[in-house]
Amino acid sequence: MHLYTEAKSIAQEAWEESEYDLDTATDYVHQSCDGHEIAIYYGKAIEFCATQETSDGEQWLEDCGSLIQEGDTFGSIACRIAFATLLVRSQEALQEIADQHEEEES
């Protein structure tokens, strides 16, 4: 998976489905990332974490106080990190799209 391409695709779909409403699109991005295969399948998440830079996702989880929780397995931690990394990148892509849309509207 190419992280930037996937994040941009999620953000673009969210932007279009929300009819250009940033709050709605942000919720859509969160839901899309939460249901993404890397967020729910241990093997996909582990592979993702092994091949992608996940520092921003890990930091996001640390900021939320939820990187590691009692009873976690290696797979569940990988899923959480993969989700957060995809979420952070998708939110960044969404903001870029919204900013570009705003510039075009001006």
Side-chain angles (χ1 to χ4, degrees):
M1 169 197 304
H2 188 268
L3 178 55
Y4 178 78
T5 303
E6 187 69 13
K8 184 80 170 178
S9 175
I10 290 169
Q12 188 64 48
E13 182 177 340
W15 186 246
E16 292 169 4
E17 288 293 320
S18 70
E19 298 179 357
Y20 318 116
D21 177 71
L22 186 57
D23 289 336
T24 303
T26 299
D27 290 342
Y28 188 98
V29 163
H30 192 277
Q31 291 173 6
S32 294
C33 292
D34 191 42
H36 197 280
E37 66 183 6
I38 65 167
I40 57 177
Y41 297 116
Y42 288 1
K44 297 280 185 179
I46 293 167
E47 180 181 341
F48 177 89
C49 290
T51 61
Q52 303 293 325
E53 170 56 54
T54 60
S55 298
D56 290 340
E58 292 172 41
Q59 185 60 53
W60 185 87
L61 288 168
E62 284 289 338
D63 293 345
C64 295
S66 63
L67 179 59
I68 299 175
Q69 299 173 5
E70 188 175 335
D72 271 347
T73 64
F74 177 69
S76 63
I77 294 168
C79 284
R80 195 173 302 116
I81 292 170
F83 157 75
T85 301
L86 182 59
L87 179 65
V88 167
R89 292 289 167 254
S90 297
Q91 288 173 336
E92 290 171 351
L94 178 61
Q95 190 60 56
E96 289 173 9
I97 291 168
D99 292 346
Q100 183 179 6
H101 181 77
E102 187 176 305
E103 286 176 18
E104 291 172 0
E105 293 289 309
S106 300

